[in-house]
Amino acid sequence: MEATTSWATDRPVTSPFAKPRGLRGRLAGRFMLLLNKHHELLDVLDVPAGGRLLEVGFGPGGLIRMLAERTRAERICGVDPSDEMVAAAARHNRSAVAAGRVELRSGSAADTGYPDAHFDRIVSTNTVAIWPDLEAGLRELHRVVRPGGTVVLAWHGGTNPHRIARGLRLPDDKLDRLRRGLEELFGTVTRHELKNSTVFRATRPAER
């Protein structure tokens, strides 16, 4: 598997969780469905009825499915760099994809392929630390979220993470860099310590 370099570690990322493919990638996808506790993000996201939402790095599609089942979003889109995860998530969300409510495609944080100011909410969970270029990813999310819209970035951490995820916490200097990057683009940023995740929530200022 071709490795990319993480901005958070300055080392190549060879984990199958970064760009799942093959048998290891399929197993990683199943593990993500078991380990990731997406429900605690719903209150932070606060998805508006009739809104458009984008998930960056949706993996096997667990959060996509929860958003389709538990919110009144009109349109739920997702981009992921792994073609295998695009296919797996499409299977996991077959009925919502067939109905046209969910759209899944290949893409990345730095290149979503969507128009300017297209989404009301953007979320990425447990992917931000493996982006190759943090600033490029943040600029792209700022571009595709509408004025008044919100970006939510979550990473392993929180008040009581699963024991497997505890070693994946980001050090304070990396969390500070993430926060500063968001503040430069969005202004006000809030940090939330959920049970399983450290979450940053940033809202693009409304145009005057």
Side-chain angles (χ1 to χ4, degrees), residues 109-110 131 133-145 181-182 185-186 204:
W131 295 355
D133 187 330
L134 174 64
E135 286 72 25
L138 296 182
R139 287 193 299 270
E140 174 71 353
L141 302 193
H142 180 268
R143 180 185 71 80
V144 297
V145 73
L182 286 167
L185 292 169
F186 293 88
R204 181 174 172 177

Side-chain angles (χ1 to χ4, degrees), residues 168-187:
L168 300 174
R169 291 176 183 266
L170 283 175
D172 288 343
D173 64 320
K174 302 302 182 184
L175 292 173
D176 288 344
R177 179 177 166 185
L178 174 55
R179 180 166 194 150
R180 288 196 305 271
L182 286 167
E183 288 175 340
E184 288 175 3
L185 292 169
F186 293 88

Side-chain angles (χ1 to χ4, degrees), residues 51-65 67-68 73-83 85-108 111-115 118-119 121 123 144:
R52 290 194 297 260
L53 184 139
L54 172 68
E55 182 181 4
V56 174
F58 50 75
L63 179 55
I64 293 283
R65 183 169 182 171
L67 291 166
E74 178 184 25
R75 183 80 163 163
I76 300 167
C77 302
V79 294
D80 195 288
S82 167
D83 290 338
M85 288 298 99
V86 174
R91 290 192 299 269
H92 197 59
N93 293 275
R94 187 176 289 108
S95 60
V97 171
R101 188 174 176 220
V102 167
E103 177 185 75
L104 306 172
R105 60 168 71 170
S106 296
S108 67
D111 184 12
T112 65
Y114 282 99
H118 192 66
F119 295 102
R121 296 290 185 272
V123 60
V144 297

